[in-house]
Amino acid sequence: MLELVQTIQKDTARVVEWFAKSAERGNPYAQYMLGKLYLMGQGVEYDKKLGMYWLSQSAAQGNVYAK
């Protein structure tokens, strides 16, 4: 997880792009991470609505951390 945080800090635009592509394809982990990024405003503009949307998509697939 530390490596992921360091990567996000170094190249947030690229990480957001990867998570967005994977989230749109239904990956629950990517949906969770994208939701958290929107809620923190890290690499993207803060957007509570989008953050909650992606977290709910992840939770619907059984990701216990997104609930």
Side-chain angles (χ1 to χ4, degrees), residues 47-61:
D47 190 323
K48 184 177 180 179
K49 186 176 179 179
L50 273 175
M52 295 307 294
Y53 169 79
W54 285 115
L55 288 178
S56 69
Q57 295 298 303
S58 180
Q61 294 191 69

